[in-house]
Amino acid sequence: MASIIVTSGEQTGEFLPLGRRTSVIGRGEALPLQVLDDFVSRRHLRIRFDETAEGYYAEDMVSKHGTFVNQRRITTSVPLSDGDVIRIGQTTLLFTNEDFDDRESALEHYKKFGEKARTTRKQ
């Protein structure tokens, strides 16, 4: 399936397996992924699986501070691709097509992703 990994903020390393459903992310205590960030709304971001398109979509839930995918503020439903970076408040999330059994495997995936994304400097 797919997962969201928290890559910055108080919950770095937490992850949410998405499955084939709609998941809401925000500060609300009853949400599947609660983000402890004062700049995140109670119901900030919705990630839904579209059966027809066989893909995941991110939607801002009219949050005060907005939702950004790859540094662009979104105002409509946006398709997600493996490696997309989502920012809500001061917290960043990584969307991946991978599923994880535990926090350690999610963190290991994030570390490997970070190594691939890092550019080298010429001397």
Side-chain angles (χ1 to χ4, degrees):
M1 287 298 137
S3 300
I4 291 290
I5 303 171
V6 180
T7 58
S8 76
E10 284 189 42
Q11 291 112 311
T12 297
E14 294 293 319
F15 71 99
L16 172 66
L18 294 172
R20 293 175 164 259
R21 64 182 178 278
T22 297
S23 297
V24 176
I25 299 170
R27 270 188 308 118
E29 291 179 16
L31 299 178
L33 180 59
Q34 181 188 25
V35 177
L36 303 174
D37 180 328
D38 291 338
F39 295 96
V40 171
S41 299
R42 284 185 176 85
R43 295 173 51 86
H44 197 108
L45 165 69
R46 176 182 13 238
I47 298 180
R48 67 176 175 82
F49 180 75
D50 185 309
E51 299 237 0
T52 306
E54 288 287 315
Y56 293 88
Y57 290 79
E59 301 168 353
D60 181 73
M61 297 185 72
V62 195
S63 63
K64 182 177 180 180
H65 297 286
T67 298
F68 298 79
V69 176
N70 299 326
Q71 300 180 7
R72 292 187 177 163
R73 187 173 189 150
I74 63 171
T75 56
T76 61
S77 183
V78 174
L80 292 171
S81 299
D82 191 47
D84 280 349
V85 176
I86 303 166
R87 182 172 55 83
I88 58 174
Q90 297 177 334
T91 302
T92 54
L93 312 167
L94 174 67
F95 173 82
T96 178
N97 288 325
E98 303 282 328
D99 272 335
F100 304 101
D101 294 326
D102 54 32
R103 185 174 193 250
E104 288 74 31
S105 58
L107 274 172
E108 187 62 31
H109 177 83
Y110 169 60
K111 287 177 188 173
K112 287 180 184 175
F113 175 81
E115 289 170 6
K116 288 180 194 175
R118 192 174 302 135
T119 56
T120 56
R121 296 176 66 189
K122 291 185 180 183
Q123 298 290 334

